[in-house]
Amino acid sequence: MSPGPAALVPPDPAWGEQAVELLAVVRSAFAVLDGAQGMVYDHIGSTAVPGLAAKPFLDLQVRVPVLLPVEEWTRALGTTTFRPAQGSRPDSPGVTFDLPRGSTGRDDENLWRKSLFVSAAPAAILHIRRADSPWAAYTVALRDLLLEDSRRRGQYEDLKRRLAREHADDGDYDDYTRAKTVFFDEVQDEMEDRVRAARGASVRSEPGR
């Protein structure tokens, strides 16, 4: 994946509806796979936060019970616009694995494995992660934090704008992506709190409890 310089664009009110439509396409493509009923589909990233400037790519996520070989995801997505991402560099972050962070599963490399697909038209990135992947939970927690906390939202946008200027001449997004981890480090405890709260709510809502 080589999207070019780290340019931000103004928020587009159409992003939300476009994400819903694309996730429906992916859901339909994955319906033939084992475990399809257990998959969860998310619109994540800055395009999921109304009013936030973003890279012009929809970030989508599927949380799956089992992370299949990339070839199986590729076959299922064959009739869609999504194709496997190769990464701009051999060590491009977030292509075949997420960088471990937080308090969970640092020693279990399988928790951090993922598959990544990109679509050129419409422009989108599809992250496929195990349902128990810490990053699968963190992406949702970060989205919800930015939705609800205007102070954090402003801090994140200010950082992204500064990094976009600093990396405007880059040939890919890799260094821009790595530099954003300073914000993730700052809000890590808040994300962890949200993940624990979501898990607690899920347990309380189970039948028989």
Side-chain angles (χ1 to χ4, degrees):
M1 181 175 58
S2 182
L8 300 181
V9 299
D12 186 341
W15 282 338
E17 184 61 30
Q18 291 170 354
V20 168
E21 293 173 356
L22 266 183
L23 286 172
V25 170
V26 175
R27 186 191 300 269
S28 178
F30 286 172
V32 300
L33 298 172
D34 291 339
Q37 296 304 313
M39 296 180 185
V40 178
Y41 297 79
D42 306 303
H43 181 196
I44 59 172
S46 296
T47 62
V49 182
L52 186 60
K55 296 178 298 183
F57 295 86
L58 300 174
D59 269 302
L60 311 176
Q61 173 175 268
V62 185
R63 291 178 271 172
V64 301
V66 177
L67 189 62
L68 301 173
V70 67
E71 293 80 9
E72 295 193 39
W73 302 119
T74 302
R75 280 195 292 271
L77 291 167
T79 60
T80 74
T81 57
F82 285 98
R83 298 295 178 263
Q86 303 301 318
S88 300
R89 314 177 196 172
D91 64 343
S92 289
V95 177
T96 59
F97 63 92
D98 290 311
L99 296 177
R101 66 178 304 112
S103 60
T104 304
R106 283 182 170 269
D107 296 328
D108 183 357
E109 65 177 20
N110 289 319
L111 275 179
W112 308 94
R113 295 189 183 280
K114 66 184 289 188
S115 292
L116 191 70
F117 290 80
V118 293
S119 168
I125 302 171
L126 176 65
H127 309 256
I128 304 176
R129 295 180 168 108
R130 278 173 38 167
D132 58 353
S133 157
W135 258 111
Y138 293 152
T139 58
V140 174
L142 178 62
R143 178 199 66 192
D144 293 346
L145 172 65
L146 295 175
L147 282 168
E148 297 170 16
D149 190 325
S150 60
R151 180 179 68 90
R152 287 300 196 193
R153 189 165 60 247
Q155 290 173 339
Y156 189 46
E157 179 158 333
D158 288 346
L159 173 65
K160 291 203 308 175
R161 289 191 182 281
R162 176 173 65 79
L163 294 177
R165 291 192 298 270
E166 292 176 0
H167 295 277
D169 296 326
D170 289 1
D172 58 46
Y173 279 117
D174 284 4
D175 291 336
Y176 169 84
T177 298
R178 289 187 178 91
K180 287 194 302 179
T181 59
V182 65
F183 182 80
F184 302 153
D185 292 342
E186 185 174 336
V187 301
Q188 183 67 39
D189 289 345
E190 294 169 73
M191 292 194 297
E192 298 269 11
D193 288 344
R194 286 175 175 270
V195 169
R196 283 191 290 268
R199 287 173 179 161
S202 177
V203 169
R204 290 192 297 272
S205 67
E206 289 178 3
R209 289 184 178 271

